[in-house]
Amino acid sequence: MLRRQATEGEKQAGSVVEPQSGLPSPSPRNHLLSPESHMDVQGYKWVRWRMWLCRLAAVLSLGLLLIVFHWRPRLAVLARCCSCPLALADILLIRDSFGQHHVVEVFTEEVEEGSLQLLGQLEDTEWRDTVQLYKDEKTLLRYYLFEGLRYIWLDRKGAFCRVSVLNEDWTCKDLYSFQKGLSHLEQSFRRRMYGLNLIDVPVKPYIKLLFEEVLNPFYVFQLFSITLWMIDHYFVYAICIFIISILSISISLYEIRKQSITLCNMARLVTNVTIRRNSGVEECVSSLELVPGDCLIIPQEGLLLPCDAALLAGECLVNESMLTGESVPVLKTPLPAGEGTYSSETERRHTLFCGTQLIQAKGGGPGGVGAVAVVTSTGFFTAKGNLVSSILYPQPTNFRFYQDSAKFLFMLCFVAFIGTIYSFVVLFRTNVTWLELVIRSLDIVTIAVPPALPAAITTGTIYAQHRLKRQGVFCISPPRINICGKVSLFCFDKTGTLTEEGLDVWGVMEGGPAGFSELLPEPRLLPPGPMLSGLACSHTVTLLRGQPLGDPLELKMVESTGWTLQEPEGNGKTLDAEFGGHRVLAVMRPPTQRLQAQGSSTSEAVAIVQRFPFSSALQRMSVVTVSCRGDSALAFIKGSPEMVATLCRAETIPAQFSSKLHNFSSEGLRVLALACKPLDRNTDFRTIERGEVEKDMQFLGLLMMKNLVKPESAKAINVLRMAHLRTVMVTGDNILTAVNVAKSCGMVGSDEKVIFVNATPPTAQSMATLRFSLEGGGDTAAQNSIEIVTRDLYQGGFGYHLAINGRSFAALCDHFSEYLPKVLLRATVFARMTPDQKTQLVKELQKLNYRVGMCGDGANDCGALRAADVGVSLSDAEASVASPFTSKTENISCVPLLIREGRCSLVTSFSLFRYMALYSLIQFCSILILYTIKTSMADLQFLFCDIVVVTLLAIVMGKGGPSEELHPHRPPASLLTLPVLGSLFIHICVVILGQLAALFITTSQGWYIPLNSTVYGTANLPNMENTTVFALSGFQYIIMAVVATKGYPHKKPLYHNVIFLCLLFVLFALMTWLVVYPGTFACQILKLYDISDMNFKLLLVALAALNLLTCFVVEVLIDLGILNCLRLLRGRRQSKKQYKRLNVLLSDSPSWPPLNETLYSTDHTLISLS
């Protein structure tokens, strides 16, 4: 990292400087969300003579070499530099995990002498061993910037590493050591290492944007074409195309700059913050100066946080909707001081993320107000920086349509090459000048390869994006709209997505060694005791301006007890004194008048002195409470019954625990368990560790809550299932509750069975096991009928779905990898899944070649939403960066809409691609035919065909909306298939035959006058041959627009696109007029020959009608699969999609799944995928 450069000019050497401990980058920039440093980096050094040689070559090539270097920066590096060790490199060539090459410059920065003195004072031996001070040396920092992140040189590792590598080993205990603050010198040194705390989105000036846009291959090709046309005297056409290009560039520059400014304003956050220095002084500084390790003082009224920070003292109420789309504020609590390595992902409830709004801070700052946190990440290393980076540098979309588009363009280039050779030979034999020979030959390239093709195929996506926006669905990644059309499986979160966000308390039941008490409908009916106190206290609800805020479930739970929440005011000393001097976070007070159980005593107020917030990974939360005067202390735990039971003493759990849980969960109830244990009242509860609290608990009872399925869920699921799209539920809830919801919303049919998958990891006494058991298989009647059910299952008597929980999913992945694809193929319910497991599930499904969609609320599902091919976040935010799509409609009805729009957009892109290819090939054939007979097309004839006919049709062709229904068959995504290539080939053959027929009919007429063979090209205009070929080709452009525009089943029928239909009729009428009665003016302008034979003109129109009929019949036959007979010649091939091959394999298997058999990890009796 720090390089010593000797003044005597000796060879450069370096050393690693690492701090005594470090902070990890707490942003979710992990291997699941964005590729970590799976990069191949090569070092290069400038070579002076090579640089001068390249400059000379650039001058001689008239700048062409510089354009090539701009398109391929890698070639520029290889030409100007020589390879060298990374330690000596001036330039780095980076190959990322997607195979794309990037060129970055290595920067060097001199570090002050004082910084080294600071390093010498640090206790870390590694620093002392590797930093040696020499008076005749200066110290250099070597680094580069890539996608906003800073990478620094570490000599010991012999590589450039992210600057966050300096911080990745800090423990929670180390973070607490920073509460004293940093010195000015230490902060200055760290700022040199990390750079400014700024998420800097570059807003390029118009001049630079213009330069980059003009050097786009599309516009370079346009410039080449315009130059060629100007030399060839096609002035009017060239000027029109030039004006259109200027307009296109201007609109593009405006949009790019507008988006950059919007993103810059969203990303840039500079404010004043208060930090603590090591001298104890609090200082107000700009947020730009913040570095990891700074001690941040958060005011009581909160602030918009400019960095990621770990909360060390006090509690903060935070609105994280900007990052997660979750509108409910979250209560953040102090980080436990342990020896474990700090990670923002595992410590989310103790981490304040950059860009989130801190609504309120209390109980931790000076005087008991505000809070104290330590900065853990700055700039692009923050959570917000990662999400901005994902917008600035999106992962390339691996979509077949876009890949085939590029291949098809190369095919057109090959056709152009053949045409160029043909025209060169034909023209050479006519003895034209060499200049005209070259110009005419190159002109064929501008005709065969349509430069507007890339722009044309995006119009369908643009129309779809606007339609989605009107429906309340916002998209930050337009290319993914086409991918929506190919989605084959959609995953749904349960709570808040399929079911209502809020829950209603259904009942409560106390439990103990003697069994369960009777079910009470309301917790307020409970007698005073630990169960009632636990329900009142086990939450993270807080007050904001007197109103309770928090998780909807916890709000309902507290409301059902009738207890009221009180929070400390001022420095909180009064409440602290009331509860034995303990630091009070909140007080729960029972109602003054409440329904009392006969003979029971009244409840007393309870103070919450420590909170351990709910964690999806741990499936629980806990609190520590003390009674009045601090007489006694109790710890309460609330969470999933399965998890709470594992933390309770076995003798306290009722014998009927499993059966009661099974019954309640089967009814679709959300079940929570509570437990408690007494603590020593003299313990310092501020420093008590979570692991110490959450063990040896006493089971208290169960709380049941009713979570209603949203009315739109069943309808949307039914639409998807009817369209043969798999639907999967991924939830953190109980597996029986999830199965009940799956049945309620139609994921599992009433006549379908559910089979539970139970996998256990190996222990010291047993091997890993895997077992498939039928739902309801516990009672005798079910056991007796198991053989009948099994026989029906294997003989296809009914459908079945697998259900699996997170623990079994983990064991399946680790120990039964050969069974994992088979389970994934048939599983519909995934319960008790952690956020990481949701992401892993999406990845595993993608390995089976599914196009996976994910719909969730954006909070716990953030990783899965970003990993999916199509992520939909249900959020009030207009553009939540948690996923590519955000829907303001808070139900899943947006999913069928999105898929319908995706299919419509994909079909439209297909149609436009085929049309633009057919248009260029029609014009290509016309020109070659005319070249052969020593003539050509006029300037305004080109203009009429390209602008009046083709461009107008291409613009309005994509306006047709999606079909109202989802069809069972998805549209194709590959251009290089037999139907597409076959139809193009047949249509072009019909086009050539039509143009040749028109030409031969003309030459066979008695009034035919041959053209002048002594002149060539436009000098021969007007003539009969040109007029007939132009007339028929004009009809063919319109005919192909009709043929290429596909409607059913993914788009509305053609007549719904009124503008396109009207334009077709107008253009047909216009072409008929130009053929039948053009008039003197039109003949002069377009250089047409006025043929007087009306019968011949009507024959031309009839020929065009025959062309339309032939092409239409051919297209219908191809759609019906007439070309599939050619596939029979090569034999039937297996599908390329792994899940389809596996489905065939399992359908033929007589024994899958093996019910009520225990399989071991070494048992490979099932058919393997290979």
Side-chain angles (χ1 to χ4, degrees):
M1 175 186 69
L2 292 176
R3 167 165 299 288
R4 304 189 310 278
Q5 182 175 324
T7 54
E8 287 87 357
E10 67 236 22
K11 185 178 178 181
Q12 291 180 322
S15 58
V16 185
V17 178
E18 294 187 352
Q20 66 182 42
S21 42
L23 296 164
S25 166
S27 63
R29 189 180 276 277
N30 57 36
H31 66 284
L32 295 170
L33 300 183
S34 66
E36 188 69 17
S37 300
H38 301 304
M39 300 190 300
D40 178 28
V41 183
Q42 293 174 303
Y44 290 87
K45 206 166 183 60
W46 295 115
V47 179
R48 188 164 295 178
W49 67 266
R50 287 192 181 189
M51 292 172 66
W52 280 106
L53 198 62
C54 287
R55 288 169 187 165
L56 179 63
V59 172
L60 294 176
S61 65
L62 302 178
L64 188 61
L65 183 67
L66 294 179
I67 293 174
V68 173
F69 284 170
H70 177 76
W71 291 343
R72 290 285 181 267
R74 180 170 174 267
L75 296 180
V77 172
L78 297 176
R80 294 167 173 165
C81 307
C82 67
S83 182
C84 71
L86 288 177
L88 307 173
D90 300 319
I91 293 289
L92 299 178
L93 186 61
I94 297 172
R95 185 175 180 271
D96 64 22
S97 56
F98 304 108
Q100 297 180 338
H101 287 91
H102 309 268
V103 175
V104 296
E105 183 182 354
V106 177
F107 299 98
T108 56
E109 203 173 294
E110 189 173 348
V111 180
E112 302 94 335
E113 190 83 17
S115 301
L116 291 176
Q117 292 170 2
L118 168 71
L119 300 186
Q121 295 168 4
L122 292 172
E123 295 179 2
D124 194 316
T125 55
E126 189 167 2
W127 283 62
R128 292 206 304 270
D129 291 343
T130 55
V131 179
Q132 300 175 15
L133 307 180
Y134 296 101
K135 291 182 180 178
D136 59 346
E137 294 182 346
K138 57 183 179 179
T139 305
L140 294 180
L141 167 70
R142 289 171 55 80
Y143 68 93
Y144 71 86
L145 300 172
F146 180 62
E147 295 186 348
L149 302 179
R150 179 178 283 223
Y151 292 75
I152 55 175
W153 175 254
L154 297 176
D155 270 355
R156 180 169 56 84
K157 295 191 176 184
F160 283 95
C161 300
R162 285 183 180 177
V163 70
S164 60
V165 79
L166 303 177
N167 314 322
E168 61 191 13
D169 296 327
W170 266 15
T171 63
C172 300
K173 185 178 179 181
D174 292 329
L175 282 170
Y176 272 91
S177 68
F178 274 110
Q179 272 187 295
K180 63 180 184 296
L182 301 177
S183 68
H184 282 278
L185 187 61
E186 191 173 1
Q187 194 199 42
S188 172
F189 171 67
R190 285 171 181 260
R191 195 157 55 247
R192 282 294 182 94
M193 296 295 107
Y194 295 95
L196 291 176
N197 174 33
L198 184 66
I199 302 172
D200 190 21
V201 176
V203 179
K204 297 174 184 174
Y206 276 114
I207 295 296
K208 187 171 183 181
L209 282 175
L210 178 66
F211 177 76
E212 290 179 355
E213 193 72 11
V214 168
L215 289 184
N216 183 303
F218 163 67
Y219 287 115
V220 169
F221 187 64
Q222 285 279 43
L223 185 63
F224 163 74
S225 303
I226 290 168
T227 307
L228 201 64
W229 297 328
M230 294 291 280
I231 295 170
D232 202 23
H233 306 297
Y234 283 131
F235 296 117
V236 178
Y237 184 72
I239 289 167
C240 284
I241 296 298
F242 178 74
I243 291 169
I244 290 170
S245 298
I246 291 295
L247 286 172
S248 175
I249 289 172
S250 302
I251 293 168
S252 179
L253 293 189
Y254 172 75
E255 286 295 329
I256 290 170
R257 189 170 165 85
K258 181 184 171 186
Q259 289 172 6
S260 296
I261 290 171
T262 303
L263 188 59
C264 180
N265 292 339
M266 186 267 278
R268 189 180 178 88
L269 174 57
V270 180
T271 184
N272 289 330
V273 294
T274 303
I275 61 172
R276 182 183 291 159
R277 295 293 183 196
N278 63 347
S279 60
V281 176
E282 292 182 5
E283 190 176 311
C284 184
V285 298
S286 168
S287 60
L288 290 171
E289 298 178 19
L290 289 176
V291 294
D294 268 328
C295 183
L296 194 63
I297 306 298
I298 300 169
Q300 185 175 5
E301 64 275 11
L303 79 159
L304 190 60
L305 200 66
C307 59
D308 282 2
L311 185 61
L312 302 186
E315 294 183 333
C316 291
L317 191 64
V318 187
N319 180 356
E320 294 187 331
S321 61
M322 197 286 294
L323 291 182
T324 65
E326 179 64 64
S327 57
V328 178
V330 182
L331 184 70
K332 304 280 184 169
T333 58
L335 181 75
E339 294 295 337
T341 304
Y342 169 79
S343 163
S344 68
E345 281 307 292
T346 55
E347 309 291 353
R348 284 189 72 88
R349 294 305 291 261
H350 314 295
T351 302
L352 308 172
F353 292 108
C354 177
T356 58
Q357 179 68 53
L358 273 61
I359 302 170
Q360 177 180 275
K362 58 187 179 184
V369 295
V372 177
V374 164
V375 178
T376 55
S377 289
T378 57
F380 273 98
F381 287 98
T382 61
K384 181 181 177 182
N386 174 66
L387 294 172
V388 171
S389 180
S390 70
I391 299 172
L392 274 176
Y393 314 103
Q395 293 184 18
T397 48
N398 180 26
F399 193 46
R400 187 75 178 271
F401 177 73
Y402 300 128
Q403 295 167 351
D404 285 359
S405 301
K407 294 175 185 175
F408 199 88
L409 275 176
F410 281 114
M411 289 171 64
L412 289 178
C413 289
F414 178 73
V415 171
F417 177 69
I418 300 296
T420 302
I421 294 173
Y422 175 80
S423 60
F424 186 88
V425 172
V426 168
L427 296 173
F428 184 76
R429 293 169 63 183
T430 58
N431 297 319
V432 296
T433 62
W434 275 100
L435 177 63
E436 189 154 5
L437 184 66
V438 172
I439 288 170
R440 289 288 174 209
S441 300
L442 291 176
D443 195 31
I444 290 293
V445 179
T446 68
I447 291 167
V449 183
L453 183 60
I457 61 176
T458 60
T459 56
T461 305
I462 292 167
Y463 284 129
Q465 189 175 7
H466 286 311
R467 287 194 298 267
L468 284 169
K469 192 171 183 179
R470 286 199 299 270
Q471 301 264 11
V473 180
F474 301 91
C475 174
I476 62 171
S477 179
R480 290 192 184 262
I481 294 176
N482 277 348
I483 298 175
C484 291
K486 291 297 289 180
V487 167
S488 49
L489 180 148
F490 229 100
C491 300
F492 295 93
D493 179 38
K494 183 181 76 69
T495 308
T497 303
L498 293 170
T499 62
E500 299 288 356
E501 185 68 54
L503 295 96
D504 292 317
V505 173
W506 186 83
V508 64
M509 183 180 280
E510 285 191 274
F516 282 102
S517 66
E518 63 176 297
L519 179 71
L520 294 176
E522 285 280 344
R524 68 182 74 229
L525 300 176
L526 284 168
M531 184 67 181
L532 181 60
S533 300
L535 288 169
C537 298
S538 300
H539 59 80
T540 54
V541 174
T542 186
L543 293 176
L544 180 64
R545 291 184 282 276
Q547 293 299 314
L549 274 180
D551 184 89
L553 180 150
E554 293 183 339
L555 286 171
K556 284 282 186 185
M557 182 183 75
V558 173
E559 182 188 338
S560 70
T561 63
W563 289 43
T564 53
L565 172 65
Q566 179 189 353
E567 291 189 336
E569 295 178 359
N571 58 14
K573 297 293 184 187
T574 308
L575 281 179
D576 292 354
E578 184 183 346
F579 290 92
H582 293 284
R583 180 73 174 178
V584 173
L585 301 177
V587 174
M588 297 302 301
R589 298 190 183 275
T592 50
Q593 292 180 341
R594 64 183 295 274
L595 185 64
Q596 295 286 331
Q598 190 171 3
S600 63
S601 60
T602 58
S603 297
E604 289 189 342
V606 177
I608 302 169
V609 294
Q610 178 61 283
R611 286 187 178 114
F612 299 102
F614 177 78
S615 162
S616 299
L618 298 176
Q619 299 176 3
R620 62 184 183 269
M621 65 87 62
S622 55
V623 293
V624 177
T625 65
V626 295
S627 61
C628 281
R629 298 174 301 281
D631 292 340
S632 62
L634 273 179
F636 292 101
I637 185 171
K638 179 195 75 189
S640 73
E642 302 94 328
M643 178 57 71
V644 170
T646 63
L647 301 173
C648 290
R649 299 195 310 276
E651 66 273 12
T652 67
I653 301 173
Q656 309 95 328
F657 171 79
S658 296
S659 61
K660 289 287 184 185
L661 176 60
H662 184 277
N663 293 338
F664 290 135
S665 298
S666 299
E667 293 176 30
L669 298 172
R670 178 84 178 268
V671 186
L672 296 172
L674 283 93
C676 75
K677 80 168 181 181
L679 296 173
D680 182 357
R681 64 179 184 174
N682 296 319
T683 307
D684 184 357
F685 296 125
R686 286 178 295 180
T687 59
I688 193 169
E689 293 190 8
R690 185 168 193 160
E692 182 63 30
V693 172
E694 297 175 346
K695 67 177 184 180
D696 300 328
M697 308 290 284
Q698 175 189 338
F699 186 83
L700 289 177
L702 300 174
L703 172 71
M704 282 67 71
M705 306 192 85
K706 187 70 175 175
N707 193 197
L708 299 174
V709 175
K710 291 178 181 177
E712 301 86 359
S713 295
K715 184 179 176 183
I717 295 295
N718 183 55
V719 169
L720 296 178
R721 290 197 71 186
M722 293 296 287
H724 295 176
L725 284 163
R726 261 191 77 189
T727 54
V728 168
M729 184 194 298
V730 192
T731 178
D733 208 342
N734 178 280
I735 192 166
L736 295 171
T737 306
V739 167
N740 182 276
V741 172
K743 290 178 178 178
S744 301
C745 66
M747 279 189 183
V748 176
S750 57
D751 58 338
E752 294 175 318
K753 297 293 181 182
V754 175
I755 298 171
F756 293 102
V757 183
N758 184 33
T760 58
T763 62
Q765 292 80 27
S766 63
M767 298 170 64
T769 62
L770 176 63
R771 190 175 176 85
F772 298 86
S773 52
L774 199 64
E775 181 185 22
D779 55 46
T780 312
Q783 289 291 345
N784 293 337
S785 64
I786 202 83
E787 292 182 18
I788 301 168
V789 168
T790 306
R791 187 173 66 246
D792 285 346
L793 180 69
Y794 294 149
Q795 292 173 357
F798 52 73
Y800 68 92
H801 298 262
L802 301 183
I804 186 171
N805 62 27
R807 191 174 296 175
S808 293
F809 179 73
L812 191 70
C813 292
D814 293 339
H815 306 289
F816 297 92
S817 55
E818 70 274 21
Y819 295 101
L820 179 62
K822 304 179 187 66
V823 171
L824 293 179
L825 192 73
R826 295 286 187 256
T828 299
V829 175
F830 293 85
R832 292 286 185 232
M833 298 286 277
T834 65
D836 282 348
Q837 284 180 323
K838 291 182 181 183
T839 308
Q840 185 184 359
L841 173 64
V842 169
K843 298 273 187 185
E844 293 294 342
L845 288 168
Q846 287 170 331
K847 287 179 186 176
L848 292 178
N849 305 124
Y850 279 111
R851 283 278 174 198
V852 181
M854 174 73 197
C855 183
D857 58 14
N860 294 331
D861 310 316
C862 190
L865 287 169
R866 299 201 67 80
D869 296 292
V870 176
V872 188
S873 173
L874 304 183
S875 165
D876 289 331
E878 184 163 306
S880 161
V881 282
S883 63
F885 296 94
T886 306
S887 172
K888 281 195 169 182
T889 309
E890 293 187 355
N891 58 63
I892 65 168
S893 62
C894 61
V895 171
L897 167 71
L898 192 58
I899 295 173
R900 286 193 291 112
E901 285 289 1
R903 290 182 175 186
C904 175
S905 173
L906 184 57
V907 168
T908 302
S909 298
F910 243 80
S911 299
L912 281 162
F913 196 99
R914 291 177 65 220
Y915 179 61
M916 295 303 290
L918 284 166
Y919 138 70
S920 63
L921 291 171
I922 290 169
Q923 199 166 82
F924 176 75
C925 296
S926 302
I927 290 296
L928 288 188
I929 288 171
L930 294 175
Y931 276 7
T932 308
I933 56 175
K934 297 186 179 181
T935 187
S936 184
M937 283 176 68
D939 196 355
L940 289 174
Q941 286 177 358
F942 276 118
L943 197 65
F944 176 82
C945 294
D946 291 358
I947 307 300
V948 177
V949 180
V950 174
T951 304
L952 287 179
L953 285 171
I955 288 171
V956 299
M957 189 185 285
K959 282 189 73 69
S963 171
E964 295 297 333
E965 295 181 357
L966 268 180
H967 197 265
H969 297 290
R970 293 173 295 147
S974 176
L975 287 165
L976 305 180
T977 57
L978 189 61
V980 176
L981 296 179
S983 69
L984 283 177
F985 178 74
I986 294 171
H987 289 320
I988 287 304
C989 289
V990 173
V991 162
I992 294 170
L993 288 173
Q995 291 184 11
L996 289 175
L999 185 65
F1000 291 142
I1001 290 170
T1002 305
T1003 56
S1004 66
Q1005 299 300 313
W1007 40 257
Y1008 168 68
I1009 302 170
L1011 51 75
N1012 185 358
S1013 61
T1014 60
V1015 292
Y1016 176 80
T1018 52
N1020 256 329
L1021 296 175
N1023 60 62
M1024 295 180 182
E1025 293 89 337
N1026 164 274
T1027 302
T1028 52
V1029 170
F1030 166 77
L1032 195 70
S1033 65
F1035 276 116
Q1036 286 172 337
Y1037 296 130
I1038 306 167
I1039 290 165
M1040 290 308 158
V1042 177
V1043 169
T1045 304
K1046 293 291 178 71
Y1048 180 82
H1050 304 299
K1051 284 181 70 173
K1052 287 178 180 175
L1054 187 62
Y1055 54 81
H1056 282 275
N1057 191 349
V1058 179
I1059 298 175
F1060 180 61
L1061 203 61
C1062 292
L1063 185 62
L1064 283 176
F1065 285 125
V1066 168
L1067 290 176
F1068 267 124
L1070 182 61
M1071 281 307 305
T1072 305
W1073 171 71
L1074 284 175
V1075 172
V1076 177
Y1077 187 72
T1080 310
F1081 179 72
C1083 286
Q1084 285 178 351
I1085 292 292
L1086 294 174
K1087 294 191 177 181
L1088 298 174
Y1089 191 94
D1090 191 3
I1091 299 170
S1092 56
D1093 187 348
M1094 182 58 71
N1095 289 332
F1096 173 76
K1097 294 176 181 178
L1098 293 175
L1099 183 62
L1100 274 182
V1101 175
L1103 187 62
L1106 180 64
N1107 197 329
L1108 170 62
L1109 182 64
T1110 307
C1111 289
F1112 185 77
V1113 169
V1114 164
E1115 194 66 21
V1116 169
L1117 290 174
I1118 289 171
D1119 285 344
L1120 292 173
I1122 194 72
L1123 293 179
N1124 289 341
C1125 61
L1126 298 176
R1127 289 178 175 165
L1128 298 176
L1129 299 176
R1130 72 177 186 195
R1132 186 174 179 83
R1133 289 186 182 177
Q1134 273 194 327
S1135 171
K1136 292 181 180 178
K1137 298 195 183 301
Q1138 202 170 336
Y1139 74 87
K1140 288 186 177 179
R1141 299 204 308 271
L1142 184 58
N1143 189 43
V1144 171
L1145 201 63
L1146 291 188
S1147 299
D1148 295 338
S1149 170
S1151 57
W1152 175 263
L1155 292 178
N1156 293 340
E1157 290 181 28
T1158 302
L1159 306 171
Y1160 298 95
S1161 57
T1162 53
D1163 186 355
H1164 299 291
T1165 54
L1166 293 188
I1167 347 166
S1168 85
L1169 183 57
S1170 60

